[in-house]
Amino acid sequence: MDMDMDEQNHTESHSHGHGHSHDLDPALFGEYAATSEPLGTIMVLHIFCMVVAFGFLYPIGMVLGLARNKWHVPVQIVATIVFFIGYQLAHAHDGRNYEPHIAHRWFADIVIWAISLQVLFGIYLKLHIERGIHGRIRPLFVLAHKIIGVSIPVVGYVQIMLGVIASLGFCYGDHTGQCLAHFIMGSSFVAYGIILLLSLRVGGPWLLRRGKSPEWYDSWVIMLWGIVNTFTEHRWGQAWTHGDYQHTSMGILWWVGGLLGIVLSRNGKRTVVPSIIIILTAVAFQGHAQHVPNSEKIHSYFGYMLMAAGLGRIISICFVYKKGNFAIHPWDYIPPLTLMLAGLLFMGSTEEQLMLLSDMMIDVSSYSNVLLSFGMFVFVFAYGLITLWEALTGYEGRSTGSGYSELPVSVDQDHHLQTHPMTRQPGSSTTSNDDDDATRLLDDDFLHDADADAEDIVELKPTSRHF
């Protein structure tokens, strides 16, 4: 009887709070990695600050930096201040407590180091010390500052996702494996969609200089990702489960299919193999055996979106794409959009999330609408950042009021890029302005290497590009 009373008091203490602590006994946590108290106002403010800093300010600051805009430093300073405030709030919150070894907590150290190095490198470069050894090491600091600056939004995204998981206490114990699979795979589809959007809007000069098609890079990523999945989805030394068979076989499909795509997309050729792999992946996920109510329904939605992405890419390559015509067709936006939507649906379909929906009596259709809305917002934000970079750099000749399109290039037997001469509209004057505009366009390419050899420079011609 006394032991029952002690256990009851222990449970009540766990439910009604321990005060703020980062060193609670892990034995207090059972199925979930968080206590049952409300989040608390301070924790809500912490979440708000981190979303503002990493979700908006740092990505905008990154674009401003890539465009060499004067507002880059002020925006980065504001973002760092907001981050610092949010970090302090995380150590002063009341209410809900969390298991001391959660990923959100230890990953915070990586975030702090990344931001600290970025600030230090930025200060050093802003001082413009270029005499002596500083002149020789400055290019290294410029490169490091750029790499870290581009990585901070990605690092911040990972930390936000880990924060969402931590706030609910999910992905703990036996749920860790399937939770990681959903968030990693879902994030990969979102990233795939963003990369496709980048390639569509501003990746043309970069691809042309290398004589590669987008599918060549797609196939490499698919193959490498398949190799990782083949050897990591099953816990070696333990019995095989139906999930192990499903995920491992899918990994094999990816790396073999990726290898096929690499072979067929050599020398800048287009291929539909990555699109077919996406469709086959959608079919496989729709056939997965599920153990949670409503899981099959939301996985079906996910499969439909992946199928739409694969089918849209096939149509875009086979029927919309015309060699030498780089105008963006409305159909070209379907694959990146549906990939982002599929990624959000998959991240929102873990076992614990669907069990919570069932407990809260929320239907899957309404929940899916919310996830799809998030996916559309991600697309709008990514599109807005790319458009901001285009506007700030005068990409596509906007500063001169004329549009530019890349001429197709050919690859000779020695794999050297052969560029075509600049063509002018009938009646245009023969001046150096066209050459200057073309040079500036390549310089504005955010992946352009200023030290590239002259033979790698692609000349451009005026065209009318509709957005």
Side-chain angles (χ1 to χ4, degrees), residues 211-227:
K212 304 293 185 183
S213 68
E215 291 76 34
W216 192 81
Y217 294 99
D218 293 356
S219 299
W220 271 103
V221 173
I222 290 172
M223 186 186 72
L224 295 176
W225 190 252
I227 293 174

Side-chain angles (χ1 to χ4, degrees), residues 324-327 396 401-406 423 425 460-467:
N325 180 9
F326 291 88
E396 294 294 332
S402 60
Y404 286 90
S405 175
E406 305 87 354
T423 59
Q425 298 293 341
L460 311 172
K461 71 173 183 179
T463 187
S464 56
R465 176 175 176 178
H466 304 285
F467 296 91

Side-chain angles (χ1 to χ4, degrees), residues 268 270 315-326 332 408:
R270 306 298 301 270
I315 294 175
S316 179
I317 293 172
C318 296
F319 302 104
V320 177
Y321 169 74
K322 302 294 182 183
K323 188 174 182 179
N325 180 9
F326 291 88
D332 294 328

Side-chain angles (χ1 to χ4, degrees), residues 26-74:
L28 294 173
F29 301 89
E31 186 177 0
Y32 298 102
T35 59
S36 58
E37 295 93 348
L39 280 175
T41 303
I42 296 178
M43 180 55 70
V44 172
L45 291 175
H46 160 74
I47 295 172
F48 174 78
C49 288
M50 293 307 186
V51 170
V52 170
F54 290 108
F56 295 95
L57 294 178
Y58 276 123
I60 293 173
M62 175 195 68
V63 172
L64 295 174
L66 292 173
R68 299 178 178 86
N69 187 269
K70 64 179 181 180
W71 290 102
H72 165 65
V73 174

